[in-house]
C-alpha cells in the first residue's frame, strides 16, 4: 500500500481532491451566471446590478478560501476512509448551496431575510468540515507541521463560527452588520497569520 | 506497456477516470441551478422551494454514491478496452439525465408521473454499470480484495435494482413510497458494510 | 527535457489534455440543460421533448466520440508546439458550438434549416482536427502502432467528411436523411475496426 | 521537500494549476450558453445572432490565450506562496467576469457603453496577472529560458495594456475601433514571436 494510495478499492486521496476541485471550480464559476447582462442600454441599468455584484465578490472569496483550506487540509491526509469520503461529499453539498443564497442575497438587495439565509449557508459547510478535519487529524500526517496546522485552523474555525453566529443578531439590527461579519471571516482566513494566532502564540 | 497504461493509443485508465470525474462533477453541480432564488421577499416564497430542495438532496446523494462506486470499481481496472470506453460513456449519458428528472420531480412536487420518471432515471445507469463491472471483473485486478469487492457490489447492485423495481408499483399506491425506495438504495450504498453482506457472509 | 515534458515554458502534453478534457466534459454536460423539465403535469408534455432528446443523444455520442479520438490522438503526441496549442483551442471552439446547434435542431424539430446548421457544426471541428492530426503525426511518436493509427484514422476522417457532405443534399430531400448521415458517422467511429479498414486492409 | 511540492500544507503548484484549469475551462465554455438558439424558424433569426457570435469568438480567443499564458507562466513556478494563491484567485475572479461583459457586448450589439465595459473587463485581469508574474519571477525558476520568457512576456503585457488603454478614447470615435484594439492584442499574443520582440531583440 502506497503512502497516499488506495485502500482496497477506495479512491486515492488525489482523486478525492481532483473531484472536489472540479465541483468547487464549477460552484465558484456558475455564480457569475446570476450576473445577467442588462438588455436595455445605459449605465443606469448596469448600475442596478451592484447588489448582485457585491454578493458575487463576497461568495467568490468565500468559496475560494474554502478551496485553499480544503487543499491545505488534504495535503495532510494519508488514507481515504469511508468517513472522509462521505463528509467530503457533505461539504461539497453544503458549498453547492452558496450560488443559491448568493443569488438570493443579490436579488433581495441585502434584505434582512436574505442576509440570514446567506449567513446560515456560510455556517452550514462547517457541519461537515469540522468532522472532516478531525478525521484527517487522526488518520493523516502526524508531523510537527501538521500538528501546528491543525491547532491554528481549529482556532480560526472556532473564531469563524463565533463571528457568523454573532452576525445573526447583528443582522436584526442592520443587515449590513451581518454582511460585515461574513467579510470579517473572509479577511481572517485571507491573512497568512491571523491576529488570533498572534494572540495565542504571542 | 505499464500496468494501467496505454494500449496502442487507447486513453489510459487515469484519463478515463479524470474525464468521468469532470462529467460527474458537472452533473452533480448543475442540479443546484434548478434551485432558483425567489424574486419576491418573504419566507413563504422560500418555503415553496422544499420539493425542489428535497429532490436536489436525494439526487446529490445518488450521483455522489455513483461517483464513489465508479472510483472503487476503476481502482480495479488494469487496461482500457473499447467496451470499457463505450459503456463508461453510456453510464455518463445515463447519469446526465439525473438533473432533468430531478428538476421534473421537484417541479411536479413529487407527483406520481414524476416519481416514475425519477425511478426510471435511477434504474437507467445500471444498464451500463453492470456490463462495465463485468468488463473490469474479467480484464482488471484478480486479487482477493478485488474478488471480494466484486462479490459484494454485485449483491448490492442486484438489491438496488430489486428495490427500484419494487418502487414502481409502490409509487402507484403513494409516490412517497417510491421516493422512500430511492432513499433506501442510497442508504444501502452509503453504509460501509451493508446488511446484505452481513446476511450473506454471516 | 522529458519525453512528453515542457519545452521552454510550453504547457506539457498532459496539461493540454487535462484542459481539453475539462472543456469537453462541460460541453457534453451542459447540453442536458436544454432538456427542460415541463412545468405542466402529464405524459403528453413529456412526450413533446422527444426531438430535443434525440438531438441530445446524437450530440452526446458525437462529442463522446471526439473525446475518445482526441485522447487516442494525444497518446501519440510527444511535444507541445505552438501549432498544437492553437489548433487544439480551435477544435475546442468548434466543439463548443455543438450545444447551440443541438438546441436549434431539437427546438426546430429537425427542420431542414436546423439539420443543415447541425451538419455544418458536425463538419466544422474537422477544420482544426485534421491539421492537429498532421502536427502530431510529424512531431509525435513514430512507432509501427502510431503509423497504423494515423493511417486508419485518416481513412475514417475522410469517410466522415464525405458522409457529412453527402448529408447536405440529402437534407434537401428529407432532413431525416441528413440526420441518418450524422448517425452513420457516429457508428463508423464507434466500431473498433471500421468496415473501411476491413475493405482496405483485406 | 520536492521541487514543485507542498510547503507545510500549501497546495502544490500542480493543484493550483488543475484548479485554475477547471475554472478557466468552465469560463470559456459557459459563454456559449449566451448563444441562445432562436425559437422561430428561418435564417433571418439565426443571422440576428451575429453580434453575440462575434463577441463569443473574441472572448473565446481572449480566455484561451490567458489559459496558454497562465500555463507558460506556471511552468516556471517552483513553490506556492500565499501571494501566488491569492493573486491567482484574483485573476480567476477577473476572468470570470468575461462571460458577463461578452453577453453585454453581444446583447447591446457593440454599443459604445458595452465596448467600454468590455475593454475594462479585458484590462482587469492584468491587475492580478502582473503581480503574479512578479511573484513567480522572484520565487520560481531562474534559468536562461525563464529569464527570456519573463522579459518577452513583460513587453507583451505592457504592449497589451497600452493598446487596451488606446482603445478607450478610440471607442468614443467608433466602437469598432475599440473592438479592433481587443482583436489586435489577441493577435499579438497569438503570434509565437511578436513583432515587439523582433523590434527589441533585432
Amino acid at each position: 500500500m502506497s503512502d497516499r494510495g488506495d485502500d482496497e478499492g477506495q479512491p486515492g486521496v488525489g482523486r478525492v481532491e481532483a473531484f472536489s476541485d472540479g465541483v468547487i471550480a464549477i460552484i465558484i464559476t456558475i455564480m457569475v451566471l446570476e450576473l445577467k447582462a442588462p438588455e436595455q442600454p445605459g449605465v443606469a441599468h448596469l448600475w442596478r446590478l451592484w447588489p448582485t455584484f457585491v454578493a458575487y465578490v463576497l461568495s467568490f472569496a468565500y468559496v475560494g478560501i474554502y478551496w485553499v483550506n480544503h487543499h491545505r487540509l488534504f495535503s495532510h491526509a494519508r488514507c481515504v476512509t469511508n468517513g472522509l469520503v462521505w463528509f467530503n461529499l457533505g461539504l461539497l453539498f453544503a458549498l453547492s448551496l452558496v450560488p443559491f443564497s448568493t443569488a438570493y442575497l443579490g436579488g433581495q438587495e441585502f434584505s434582512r431575510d436574505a442576509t440570514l439565509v446567506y449567513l446560515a449557508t456560510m455556517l452550514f459547510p462547517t457541519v461537515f468540515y469540522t468532522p472532516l478535519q478531525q478525521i484527517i487529524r487522526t488518520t493523516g500526517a502526524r508531523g510537527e507541521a501538521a500538528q501546528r496546522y491543525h491547532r491554528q485552523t481549529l482556532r480560526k474555525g472556532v473564531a469563524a463560527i463565533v463571528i457568523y453566529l454573532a452576525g445573526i443578531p447583528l443582522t436584526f439590527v442592520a443587515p449590513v452588520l451581518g454582511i460585515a461579519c461574513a467579510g470579517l471571516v473572509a479577511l481572517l482566513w485571507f491573512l497568512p497569520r491571523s491576529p488570533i494566532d498572534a494572540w495565542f502564540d504571542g
Side-chain angles (χ1 to χ4, degrees), chain A:
Chain A
M1 201 180 110
S2 78
D3 197 32
R4 289 171 55 125
D6 292 46
D7 175 9
E8 286 195 15
Q10 284 281 24
V13 171
R15 259 170 259 157
V16 176
E17 283 177 315
F19 181 71
S20 308
D21 273 10
V23 171
I24 296 174
I26 300 157
I27 290 169
I28 213 170
T29 322
I30 60 173
M31 286 191 296
V32 86
L33 293 174
E34 275 308 311
L35 209 63
K36 294 189 182 82
E39 294 184 19
Q40 300 90 335
V43 179
H45 284 98
L46 216 56
W47 194 245
R48 257 175 235 164
L49 292 173
W50 78 262
T52 308
F53 185 75
V54 171
Y56 176 53
V57 173
L58 202 58
S59 295
F60 194 99
Y62 178 82
V63 178
I65 286 165
Y66 248 106
W67 174 74
V68 174
N69 284 301
H70 188 270
H71 266 312
R72 285 188 185 160
L73 179 59
F74 268 72
S75 73
H76 297 295
R78 289 296 170 269
C79 65
V80 177
T81 61
N82 274 304
L84 184 139
V85 168
W86 299 120
F87 278 107
N88 190 56
L89 269 176
L91 176 66
L92 296 176
F93 173 75
L95 288 174
S96 79
L97 299 176
V98 172
F100 169 79
S101 59
T102 305
Y104 196 53
L105 186 69
Q108 299 292 315
E109 303 195 357
F110 295 88
S111 74
R112 199 191 64 193
D113 284 1
T115 306
L116 288 173
V117 168
Y118 191 72
L119 287 176
T121 312
M122 301 286 109
L123 267 169
F124 188 34
T126 317
V127 174
F128 300 98
Y129 194 81
T130 309
L132 195 63
Q133 202 166 0
Q134 215 49 39
I135 287 165
I136 290 175
R137 196 176 197 169
T138 45
T139 66
R142 290 169 173 287
E144 174 55 31
Q147 301 259 330
R148 196 173 58 246
Y149 168 77
H150 287 299
R151 219 160 44 227
Q152 288 186 356
T153 49
L154 192 67
R155 274 183 220 148
K156 275 194 185 177
V158 170
I161 294 170
V162 169
I163 298 170
Y164 280 132
L165 288 175
I168 293 170
L170 286 170
T171 302
F172 283 92
V173 180
V176 77
L177 293 175
I179 298 299
C181 286
L184 186 64
V185 172
L187 203 70
L188 181 74
W189 281 103
F190 184 84
L191 296 170
R193 192 161 185 274
S194 77
I196 298 167
D197 296 326
W199 192 67
F200 268 89
D201 297 339

